[in-house]
């Protein structure tokens, strides 16, 4: 896989972070278009790789452009009126990024804030309920997936929540063996990368291996949906 992110993409994001204005963005639109092209290339390469080991993604016929989140922020209900996101985000999943299915993602940002992983982040309540039922009903399998040696090596933080309930969710007992996970509001993994790591020629290959490692967890979650 020859797609890669260069230092110019990180430089563009660094500049946008320093001056998040429409004036700066328009002045540097050529740099944005170049950076966007690199991310499209990365998304296309990753989509081919993921499709090779995830039949559900392969059957979805995704367009790489639709796997990239828009850089324009929705500021209608936000106190922060900055017009642009200061990162690129690629999300590859069954049914496309507007579906509820979990998937694989990479967040590109400067200053060592890039990360990649897989899972379901901040699902809707009905979806979250299904995920909790799956984990509670098949906890030994869930625990086995998370204790896998390769999984633990790639994701030393383990599975992270999108937020935590202070009390057990409705319908679940406080003494349920899976209660720590049932209090989660989402299930995702994350591995950070330095700027030097992101711009290495082999970065896309590292991501592909990372996604293969998290696939059993993604499959488990998607099974509930």
């Amino acid at each position: 896989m020859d797609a890669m992110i260069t230092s110019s993409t990180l430089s563009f994001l660094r500049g946008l972070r320093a001056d998040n204005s429409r004036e700066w963005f328009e002045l540097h639109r050529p740099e944005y278009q170049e950076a966007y092209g690199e991310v499209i290339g990365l998304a296309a390469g990753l989509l081919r790789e993921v499709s090779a080991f995830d039949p559900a993604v392969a059957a979805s016929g995704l367009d790489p452009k639709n796997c990239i989140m828009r850089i324009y922020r929705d500021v209608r209900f936000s106190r922060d009126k900055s017009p642009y996101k200061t990162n690129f985000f690629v999300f590859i999943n069954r049914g496309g990024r507007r579906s509820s299915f979990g998937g694989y993602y990479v967040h590109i940002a400067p200053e060592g804030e890039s990360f990649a992983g897989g899972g379901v982040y901040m699902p809707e309540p009905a979806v979250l309920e299904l995920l909790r039922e799956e984990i509670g009903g098949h906890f030994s399998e869930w625990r086995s997936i998370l204790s896998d040696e390769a999984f633990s090596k790639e994701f030393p933080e383990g599975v992270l929540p999108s937020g935590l309930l202070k009390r057990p969710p409705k319908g679940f007992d406080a003494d349920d063996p899976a209660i720590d996970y049932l209090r989660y509001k989402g299930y995702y993994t994350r591995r950070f990368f330095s700027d030097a790591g992101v711009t290495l020629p082999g970065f896309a290959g590292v991501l592909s291996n990372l996604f293969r490692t998290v696939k059993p967890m993604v499959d488990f979650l998607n099974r509930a949906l």
Side-chain angles (χ1 to χ4, degrees):
M1 190 189 303
D2 56 3
M4 64 178 292
I5 302 297
T6 66
S7 58
S8 61
T9 289
L10 297 180
S11 294
F12 166 77
L13 293 173
R14 196 175 292 113
L16 182 59
R17 177 180 292 181
D19 187 353
N20 195 326
S21 67
R22 291 181 176 82
E23 292 77 15
W24 187 94
F25 189 88
E26 288 304 320
L27 186 63
H28 294 83
R29 182 170 285 276
E31 292 98 312
Y32 163 69
Q33 292 172 335
E34 180 181 348
Y36 181 77
E38 289 185 358
V39 177
I40 282 286
L42 179 66
L46 291 175
L47 186 54
R48 288 192 298 270
E49 290 290 310
V50 171
S51 295
F53 64 76
D54 191 324
V57 168
S60 296
L62 303 177
D63 184 327
K65 292 182 179 179
N66 293 331
C67 296
I68 300 176
M69 301 301 182
R70 285 165 47 87
I71 200 169
Y72 305 99
R73 295 183 64 248
D74 184 350
V75 300
R76 291 175 298 172
F77 308 107
S78 175
R79 291 184 179 180
D80 180 3
K81 299 302 181 182
S82 301
Y84 308 103
K85 300 170 187 173
T86 55
N87 67 275
F88 287 106
F89 193 86
V90 177
F91 183 53
I92 297 172
N93 72 326
R94 173 183 176 184
R97 60 185 174 87
R98 296 188 184 278
S99 75
S100 299
F101 291 105
Y104 318 90
Y105 43 79
V106 55
H107 172 108
I108 304 295
E111 315 303 336
E113 295 180 10
S114 296
F115 62 84
V120 180
Y121 186 77
M122 294 185 68
E124 296 293 328
V127 171
L128 180 57
E129 177 71 14
L130 293 173
L131 299 179
R132 287 171 173 160
E133 290 177 355
E134 191 71 18
I135 292 171
H138 304 86
F139 186 51
S140 61
E141 180 185 354
W142 173 253
R143 190 164 46 187
S144 176
I145 291 171
L146 305 191
S147 62
D148 178 77
E149 183 178 355
F151 184 94
S152 299
K153 181 179 179 181
E154 293 286 13
F155 305 107
E157 293 181 287
V159 177
L160 300 170
S162 310
L164 281 170
L165 293 177
K166 293 182 179 180
R167 298 180 179 179
K170 185 178 180 180
F172 295 94
D173 296 329
D175 58 356
D176 190 304
I179 192 60
D180 289 342
Y181 291 105
L182 300 180
R183 292 173 54 238
Y184 281 25
K185 295 182 179 180
Y187 305 89
Y188 71 99
T189 62
R190 179 180 62 187
R191 173 181 161 188
F192 281 98
F193 293 89
S194 67
D195 290 2
V198 169
T199 55
L200 283 175
F203 180 56
V206 172
L207 293 178
S208 178
N209 291 332
L210 198 73
F211 294 161
R212 285 179 180 269
T213 302
V214 79
K215 182 180 183 292
M217 190 192 92
V218 172
D219 287 344
F220 181 100
L221 296 173
N222 283 343
R223 188 175 69 195
L225 308 180

